[in-house]
Amino acid sequence: MARKAADDPLAPVTLVVGPEELLVDRAVSAVTRAVRAEDPEADIRDLAPGALQPGMLTELTSPSLFGERKVIVVRAAHDLGTDLVNELKAYLGAPADEVVLVITHLGGPKGKALLDAARKAGAREVACAKVTKAGDRLALVKTEFRTAGRSVTEDAARALVEAVGNDLRELAAACSQLAADTDGVIDEEIVARYYTGRAETSSFDVADKAVEGRAAEALEQLRWALSVGVAPVLVTSALAQGVRNIARLGGAPRGARPGDLARELGMPPWKLDRVRQQMRGWTPDGIVRALQAVAEADAAVKGGGSDPAYALEKAVVTVATVRNT
């Protein structure tokens, strides 16, 4: 592999390792932004878990007729079968010049052969370990505001962590909302004004009902969430996480002990039990279609559409109805 720089997002292969989804998505985005900066017409192929099929890698990495750069993102590589692992190993030995390959992997023992092969081939590696300490979540909040060019008091940062919870996507989205909607130093009073009284509903309530196929209830919960000020981006984040959790558990080894499975997937046991109940009726095709719908809604609520509420409703209905397909 010609380029091995640890900090070079344009490296031929980037290995994103760990279960923290926010950090994983940001590592992938850093690569796509770097490639698009060099070639605005670059072809980005972000493959949902289970979407890569035998022979597809060869087709995707073949030279383009128009010579544009390509980014190929292979998600959940720890779940790939032997044939696909062998294809990726072969590719790692001779990566294509105009292609940047990104492989996401939980980092556990499952699929370790591919992990070892990528490291041996000199892939750039980005660690995305699970953030479990309250101090680390507090540091994330402060960094989010600093990156946005805003100041936040210590009490406000702590209040936000307590109000929003442990999910990094929710925390990052909350920081983004406060940075966009307020002026001056963000203090505890501002946090309280935005997040007090929202315990009755949350983006996760919407997502849970959607992935369980309860469309009418999910829509009712969504409308209530939006009416009390829950940010649309929090809803798309929760929907994406709900569908991805089903995909991850669906690809986990059968017969694994609950404790081992919880550690491998980065879920507490109670969450694992809930996702196991939610995954009934889901198929790989349904998961792919649901993720596509959520991605479209996410783009719409971030400025790509004129009616975020309609985009969210459409995504919620799609997620709820592609179950059993």
Side-chain angles (χ1 to χ4, degrees):
M1 199 174 295
R3 179 161 36 195
K4 300 182 182 180
D7 59 349
D8 185 3
L10 294 174
V13 179
T14 289
L15 186 62
V16 181
V17 184
E20 193 59 76
E21 293 185 359
L22 174 69
L23 302 183
V24 169
D25 284 349
R26 287 188 171 179
V28 172
S29 294
V31 173
T32 58
R33 284 197 307 271
V35 173
R36 280 270 167 85
E38 281 202 345
D39 182 0
E41 303 300 321
D43 183 11
I44 311 296
R45 301 295 182 93
D46 193 336
L47 304 177
L52 185 66
Q53 299 298 317
M56 186 183 293
L57 185 66
T58 300
E59 178 184 346
L60 291 174
T61 57
S62 61
S64 168
L65 181 64
F66 301 102
E68 75 270 13
R69 300 289 298 274
K70 292 183 180 181
V71 178
I72 300 169
V73 183
V74 177
R75 301 269 183 178
H78 47 275
D79 288 334
L80 296 179
T82 301
D83 290 346
L84 290 172
V85 168
N86 289 336
E87 284 186 37
L88 278 167
K89 284 182 178 180
Y91 178 82
L92 291 171
D97 290 338
E98 297 302 315
V99 174
V100 174
L101 175 66
V102 182
I103 301 172
T104 77
H105 193 293
L106 278 179
K110 186 180 181 183
K112 191 172 183 295
L114 177 59
L115 200 62
D116 292 341
R119 287 167 172 163
K120 185 176 180 180
R124 167 182 177 256
E125 185 167 342
V126 180
C128 300
K130 193 71 178 175
V131 175
T132 58
K133 296 179 180 178
D136 292 337
R137 291 190 287 272
L138 187 62
L140 172 88
V141 167
K142 294 176 180 178
T143 300
E144 291 294 308
F145 284 119
R146 191 181 309 117
T147 302
R150 301 297 303 280
S151 297
V152 61
T153 67
E154 182 77 15
D155 288 343
R158 291 184 182 280
L160 189 61
V161 172
E162 291 173 3
V164 175
N166 298 338
D167 184 79
L168 293 198
R169 288 182 181 276
E170 293 258 1
L171 279 172
C175 292
S176 176
Q177 180 188 18
L178 287 174
D181 293 352
T182 64
D183 297 314
V185 176
I186 295 168
D187 57 20
E188 195 171 5
E189 181 181 347
I190 291 175
V191 172
R193 187 165 70 243
Y194 270 74
Y195 289 95
T196 296
R198 298 192 186 175
E200 300 90 345
T201 185
S202 77
S203 54
F204 287 110
D205 295 329
V206 178
D208 284 340
K209 288 177 172 57
V211 298
E212 290 163 8
R214 298 152 63 186
E217 294 175 55
L219 284 174
E220 181 181 359
Q221 200 74 9
L222 170 65
R223 289 160 187 161
W224 174 248
L226 296 178
S227 73
V228 299
V230 173
V233 69
L234 297 182
V235 180
T236 56
S237 174
L239 284 169
Q241 182 174 325
V243 178
R244 284 175 182 156
N245 282 342
I246 288 170
R248 290 165 61 199
L249 183 57
R254 296 183 181 278
R257 292 184 300 179
D260 294 338
L261 196 56
R263 282 190 293 274
E264 181 176 339
L265 298 181
M267 297 181 197
W270 66 266
K271 181 68 172 178
L272 195 64
D273 290 340
R274 180 157 197 167
V275 175
R276 185 176 284 112
Q277 293 175 355
Q278 292 173 335
M279 68 182 288
R280 293 169 185 162
W282 279 95
T283 65
D285 182 61
I287 289 171
V288 170
R289 291 168 62 190
L291 287 173
Q292 289 172 341
V294 174
E296 291 172 2
D298 190 55
V301 303
K302 290 178 179 176
S306 59
D307 190 343
Y310 171 75
L312 287 174
E313 290 190 3
K314 182 179 178 183
V316 164
V317 170
T318 300
V319 171
T321 56
V322 295
R323 210 164 164 261
N324 295 314
T325 60

